[in-house]
Amino acid sequence: MGRVVVIDHPLAQAILTTLRDKNTKQIEFRKGLVRLGRLMGYEIVKSMDIETVEVETPLGVKAKGVRIKDLDHVVIIQVLRAAMPLVEGLVKIFANARMGVVSARRVEESHKPGSLNFDIEVTYVKVPRIFGDDVLIIADPMLATGSTIVTVLRHVLKYGNPKRTIVVSVIATRYGIERVFKEYPFAEIYTVSIDPELNERGYIIPGLGDAGDRAFGG
């Protein structure tokens, strides 16, 4: 099965607490997602390939250091629109990343209450070519039932087979994680919290509401 990393850093958890608060306003909510994106980027970097290098200092002395080889081979795909602030934070860490977008939404109109299967409407896909030495990062703040991420991965992986496939979410559920791993057992999931429940509409409980609406207005 795939790998799950829960980011339990106190700062990440404090930001998540602010995001959960119903009294948090739009701008503060959006800035919180940006900050979490940056922190999650740091966590991903910790697992990347590095190599030892030697440089010469201004004093003419040799010094050993490291280079993060994967930083030049990152592809970030954002699921519109909710992932935009999260990706803004990720790009602060992965400045050279090649970028793509997928516009995907749940088709709420056809959903039967109590069912955890959703039809996903994909209206736009723009993804760069993906190479075998790339680290692919799919960003979507909520991994609830897994319907959206599974559909997005199906579209994105048509563009190539990366070295690693990482899903970045703020909140996930066990159900959603297991569904992603069932379809893509090689995937890795980075999240700040695994929440315990999904309600009959497929929303995460306790969750933080609709991330897109709270970041950009309903």
Side-chain angles (χ1 to χ4, degrees):
M1 295 296 288
R3 173 172 175 259
V4 179
V5 177
V6 178
I7 300 169
D8 58 0
H9 190 288
L11 181 56
Q13 294 298 319
I15 296 169
L16 176 59
T17 301
T18 299
L19 294 179
R20 289 192 192 276
D21 189 341
K22 68 178 184 179
N23 296 312
T24 298
K25 303 301 183 184
Q26 179 178 328
I27 293 175
E28 187 179 2
F29 187 91
R30 191 163 62 238
K31 287 182 176 179
L33 287 178
V34 175
R35 294 171 69 199
L36 276 185
R38 181 183 297 191
L39 286 171
M40 297 179 87
Y42 285 135
E43 290 294 324
I44 293 171
V45 168
K46 287 164 60 176
S47 68
M48 286 183 158
D49 291 338
I50 64 172
E51 63 180 355
T52 301
V53 296
E54 188 174 72
V55 298
E56 184 175 339
T57 75
L59 298 178
V61 180
K62 301 289 186 181
K64 288 185 177 181
V66 298
R67 185 176 74 87
I68 304 167
K69 297 189 291 184
D70 288 336
L71 285 183
D72 294 326
H73 303 282
V74 174
V75 178
I76 299 176
I77 307 299
Q78 58 182 327
V79 181
L80 297 177
R81 66 179 168 162
M84 292 172 66
L86 196 60
V87 169
E88 182 180 338
L90 287 168
V91 171
K92 294 179 186 300
I93 308 304
F94 305 113
N96 293 326
R98 308 192 311 279
M99 308 289 292
V101 297
V102 177
S103 178
R105 75 169 187 98
R106 285 179 174 183
V107 183
E108 302 280 357
E109 301 84 0
S110 62
H111 178 246
K112 297 178 181 179
S115 172
L116 295 180
N117 292 317
F118 285 82
D119 293 328
I120 304 298
E121 180 184 43
V122 175
T123 54
Y124 182 75
V125 177
K126 184 65 175 179
V127 175
R129 184 178 175 189
I130 299 169
F131 300 96
D133 58 353
D134 284 333
V135 175
L136 172 66
I137 299 173
I138 308 286
D140 194 3
M142 312 296 282
L143 174 54
T145 68
S147 299
T148 300
I149 288 296
V150 166
T151 301
V152 169
L153 282 167
R154 189 176 303 130
H155 281 274
V156 171
L157 291 175
K158 294 176 183 178
Y159 292 83
N161 297 309
K163 178 171 68 174
R164 295 174 65 188
T165 300
I166 299 172
V167 175
V168 169
S169 69
V170 173
I171 296 178
T173 67
R174 287 291 177 195
Y175 182 90
I177 290 169
E178 290 171 3
R179 186 169 178 190
V180 171
F181 287 163
K182 182 178 179 181
E183 296 283 341
Y184 301 99
F186 51 83
E188 304 170 54
I189 295 172
Y190 281 70
T191 188
V192 184
S193 176
I194 300 176
D195 278 13
E197 296 181 53
L198 287 162
N199 67 15
E200 65 174 13
R201 297 181 62 191
Y203 289 177
I204 300 175
I205 302 297
L208 50 74
D210 187 302
D213 285 351
R214 293 194 66 192
F216 297 108

mmCIF file of all heavy atoms in Angstrom, residues 22 60 81 115 132 145 163-164 191 209:
data_model
loop_
_atom_site.group_PDB
_atom_site.id
_atom_site.type_symbol
_atom_site.label_atom_id
_atom_site.label_comp_id
_atom_site.label_asym_id
_atom_site.label_seq_id
_atom_site.Cartn_x
_atom_site.Cartn_y
_atom_site.Cartn_z
ATOM 1 N N LYS A 22 -15.249 28.530 12.259
ATOM 2 C CA LYS A 22 -16.258 29.132 11.381
ATOM 3 C C LYS A 22 -16.167 30.648 11.359
ATOM 4 O O LYS A 22 -16.689 31.294 10.435
ATOM 5 C CB LYS A 22 -17.663 28.710 11.807
ATOM 6 C CG LYS A 22 -18.120 29.277 13.145
ATOM 7 C CD LYS A 22 -19.543 28.850 13.453
ATOM 8 C CE LYS A 22 -20.050 29.505 14.740
ATOM 9 N NZ LYS A 22 -21.454 29.098 15.027
ATOM 10 N N GLY A 60 38.232 31.016 -0.099
ATOM 11 C CA GLY A 60 39.064 30.072 -0.821
ATOM 12 C C GLY A 60 39.166 28.714 -0.157
ATOM 13 O O GLY A 60 40.076 27.930 -0.452
ATOM 14 N N ARG A 81 -11.083 25.040 -7.936
ATOM 15 C CA ARG A 81 -10.335 26.243 -7.642
ATOM 16 C C ARG A 81 -9.714 26.229 -6.255
ATOM 17 O O ARG A 81 -8.855 27.034 -5.925
ATOM 18 C CB ARG A 81 -11.277 27.457 -7.760
ATOM 19 C CG ARG A 81 -12.359 27.459 -6.700
ATOM 20 C CD ARG A 81 -13.279 28.660 -6.792
ATOM 21 N NE ARG A 81 -14.417 28.419 -5.934
ATOM 22 C CZ ARG A 81 -15.241 29.345 -5.494
ATOM 23 N NH1 ARG A 81 -15.029 30.595 -5.832
ATOM 24 N NH2 ARG A 81 -16.277 29.036 -4.731
ATOM 25 N N SER A 115 -24.628 7.746 -0.301
ATOM 26 C CA SER A 115 -23.640 7.109 -1.165
ATOM 27 C C SER A 115 -22.319 7.867 -1.098
ATOM 28 O O SER A 115 -22.301 9.093 -1.039
ATOM 29 C CB SER A 115 -24.141 7.077 -2.613
ATOM 30 O OG SER A 115 -23.109 6.633 -3.480
ATOM 31 N N GLY A 132 10.142 10.269 -16.212
ATOM 32 C CA GLY A 132 10.378 9.218 -15.243
ATOM 33 C C GLY A 132 11.145 9.647 -14.010
ATOM 34 O O GLY A 132 11.123 8.953 -12.989
ATOM 35 N N THR A 145 -14.047 11.537 -0.146
ATOM 36 C CA THR A 145 -14.383 10.180 -0.612
ATOM 37 C C THR A 145 -13.323 9.619 -1.545
ATOM 38 O O THR A 145 -13.322 8.425 -1.827
ATOM 39 C CB THR A 145 -15.730 10.176 -1.350
ATOM 40 O OG1 THR A 145 -15.605 10.910 -2.584
ATOM 41 C CG2 THR A 145 -16.824 10.807 -0.498
ATOM 42 N N LYS A 163 8.452 9.417 -11.101
ATOM 43 C CA LYS A 163 9.170 8.633 -10.099
ATOM 44 C C LYS A 163 8.345 8.484 -8.823
ATOM 45 O O LYS A 163 8.332 7.426 -8.195
ATOM 46 C CB LYS A 163 10.510 9.305 -9.778
ATOM 47 C CG LYS A 163 11.334 8.601 -8.715
ATOM 48 C CD LYS A 163 12.722 9.181 -8.598
ATOM 49 C CE LYS A 163 12.714 10.586 -8.035
ATOM 50 N NZ LYS A 163 14.080 11.097 -7.785
ATOM 51 N N ARG A 164 7.681 9.563 -8.442
ATOM 52 C CA ARG A 164 6.824 9.565 -7.262
ATOM 53 C C ARG A 164 5.529 10.293 -7.580
ATOM 54 O O ARG A 164 5.522 11.244 -8.358
ATOM 55 C CB ARG A 164 7.511 10.262 -6.074
ATOM 56 C CG ARG A 164 8.746 9.567 -5.552
ATOM 57 C CD ARG A 164 9.443 10.402 -4.487
ATOM 58 N NE ARG A 164 8.622 10.572 -3.291
ATOM 59 C CZ ARG A 164 8.940 11.378 -2.282
ATOM 60 N NH1 ARG A 164 10.041 12.129 -2.346
ATOM 61 N NH2 ARG A 164 8.156 11.473 -1.214
ATOM 62 N N THR A 191 -0.873 14.948 4.504
ATOM 63 C CA THR A 191 -2.037 15.655 5.018
ATOM 64 C C THR A 191 -1.728 16.189 6.407
ATOM 65 O O THR A 191 -0.762 15.770 7.054
ATOM 66 C CB THR A 191 -3.277 14.735 5.036
ATOM 67 O OG1 THR A 191 -4.439 15.494 5.356
ATOM 68 C CG2 THR A 191 -3.118 13.605 6.045
ATOM 69 N N GLY A 209 -15.480 22.874 6.266
ATOM 70 C CA GLY A 209 -16.419 23.457 5.316
ATOM 71 C C GLY A 209 -15.882 23.320 3.892
ATOM 72 O O GLY A 209 -14.967 22.546 3.619
#
